[in-house]
Amino acid sequence: MKSPLLFPVQLRDKSIVVLDETLLPFKEEYITVTTLNEALLVLGEMKTRSLGQVLLFLYCCVLFERKVSIDEIVHRFKEKRPTFDFAVLGEILKIQIEQDLTVKQAVGNFVKGFDALRRARAKRLAEILPCPAHILTICNVNGELIYLYEELRKLNKPARFIVCETRPYLQGSRLTFWELRKNNICCTLICDSQAAGIMKAKGVNCVITGADRATIKGDVVNKIGTYSLARLARYFNIPFYPLTQYPRDIDVASIEIEERPKPEVFMYLDGDFSRIDALYPSFDITKAEFVTRCIELETYNEACRYQ
Amino acid sequence: MKLVDINKAVVVWGPISQEGLKILKKEGHLVVVAENRPSLLGLYHNLPLLKEADIETVYCTDNTLGFLFDKGKVFKTYLFYRDKSQEGLIGMCGSLYIVLLSKLHKIPLTTMVAGKVRIENSDKSAATLRGKDFVLEENTQDYIIEADDELVEWEVLA
């Protein structure tokens, strides 16, 4: 089982190759990035996101750190996508560099370790999910649901995914549903607002989402629509499990919620909508009280125990 | 419009009626218009009506509403329903979603009979957006749930 979304950004000799996620599922095309400005353009235009933006940041550090400091790269990335915690990635790299690793070695270790951590997280999550698992999800977690499916199969737990389309970018339809179906995994696509109806009909028994940010208290910031799923899940007594990493000891209210340009609300629609006033906060906040349990990444050493 | 610009808005869900339009006009509040997938009735029915009546609006995706409620940006929800039954109100796809989110945020709900819909849209599920197919599978009926009307029971509305 595989998905190009597992590693949507890759490092070549002197360039970075980025899967253009906005063209999926119709085209699987890659953009070659050779300068920091090109990387920032790709980031700002949402060609990549989630794990892709992590990899893009790390590989920019590898290619451009002789000209631009890691702190400056953090700053430039943060300007484009203010909600995401690029600073924590910079800190991880700097700790490794202090231990006499090159940036390239540090990034290599991080990427290799991250995949092992994702697999280990999927295994831990599979163990606590019900049998059969009817999983409601939103947006896209870069192939991690495929890892989860594999782990559920090992436990003889049948699984079915119910995917919210995730307007306006349709990451649910275009990415998650696509990668699951590509791997012949049982899944169903719904409109975002159908979530309450399917919960009421007992069509799902758990909710799993990603998390762009998390606090040590268990608050999460994720794709817009996540909060509503968490509230509805609590109402219907359905567990809500966000996949979190690198939680910070901060007040979640201090995290800036990125508001994207209003034309993006009309993504994939033809027509002139320039005279319509629109609003697009691209993330929302789910307080810890609505989270059943954060499924965190463990340390690399702990992950190795699972292999 | 940015979040900071919204202070006291109302949300509409379902096809606005002429009666509803008069009330919204009289109240004079900013109206949050959700797109109402899959039909996009918010975009192609509600927005033109509100614009014609010179009512201030802001448009957003359906999944934004919970966040607006949580942020205290909305003080009332209008649900335009299609029919009544012994069990409750029958509204378009997503009616339960909006009613429950309103209830969970203690936002008062006003229900009114829906208006006549002028638009035509072939979208019946999340598989298509204005007829464009976003699902590459051929037999999509195996992988989608068509967007039927939803029953919102009286207990939920109470």
Side-chain angles (χ1 to χ4, degrees), chain B:
Chain B
M1 193 173 285
K2 297 284 184 190
L3 272 173
V4 71
D5 303 319
I6 302 174
N7 294 310
K8 200 178 174 193
V10 299
V11 160
V12 291
W13 191 272
I16 297 176
S17 61
Q18 287 301 323
E19 189 193 349
L21 200 61
K22 280 181 200 158
I23 292 169
L24 292 167
K25 177 76 178 169
K26 192 176 167 191
E27 288 182 345
H29 298 294
L30 172 69
V31 178
V32 176
V33 181
E35 65 181 356
N36 283 188
R37 280 285 280 148
S39 65
L40 295 170
L41 183 144
L43 182 58
Y44 295 106
H45 174 83
N46 287 344
L47 260 187
L49 276 181
L50 291 159
K51 286 281 176 199
E52 207 175 300
D54 200 26
I55 295 170
E56 191 186 8
T57 59
V58 63
Y59 184 74
C60 66
T61 55
D62 303 337
N63 55 19
T64 307
L65 296 176
F67 184 53
L68 294 182
F69 290 167
D70 185 48
K71 287 279 173 192
K73 303 289 184 183
V74 175
F75 77 100
K76 193 193 287 186
T77 298
Y78 283 93
L79 173 73
F80 291 90
Y81 62 89
R82 292 196 205 281
D83 207 354
K84 262 183 194 176
S85 75
Q86 280 196 322
E87 292 82 32
L89 297 180
I90 298 159
M92 63 176 292
C93 172
S95 293
L96 183 62
Y97 180 86
I98 193 68
V99 169
L100 279 177
L101 287 173
S102 299
K103 182 178 172 134
L104 293 169
H105 293 87
K106 299 184 170 51
I107 292 167
L109 179 76
T110 299
T111 59
M112 300 181 77
V113 178
K116 196 172 178 184
V117 181
R118 299 181 200 163
I119 62 160
E120 277 185 24
N121 192 331
S122 57
D123 297 333
K124 300 277 187 263
S125 76
T128 59
L129 184 66
R130 292 299 279 178
K132 187 173 182 183
D133 210 329
F134 282 84
V135 172
L136 303 183
E137 298 278 344
E138 287 193 356
N139 298 314
T140 54
Q141 69 274 12
D142 295 341
Y143 309 107
I144 58 163
I145 298 176
E146 285 219 347
D148 278 337
D149 283 350
E150 290 177 358
L151 171 72
V152 185
E153 285 143 338
W154 295 119
E155 305 91 88
V156 175
L157 290 159

Side-chain angles (χ1 to χ4, degrees), chain A residues 21 47 61 84 93 95 104 131 149 153 179 182 196 200 205 232-233 260 275:
Chain A
E21 294 184 20
K47 301 294 186 189
C61 291
F84 194 78
L93 278 191
I95 290 168
K104 192 172 182 179
C131 179
Y149 178 78
R153 266 183 56 172
E179 68 179 354
K182 224 178 153 180
K200 181 186 165 194
N205 54 18
L232 293 167
R260 299 287 302 174
R275 295 176 71 183

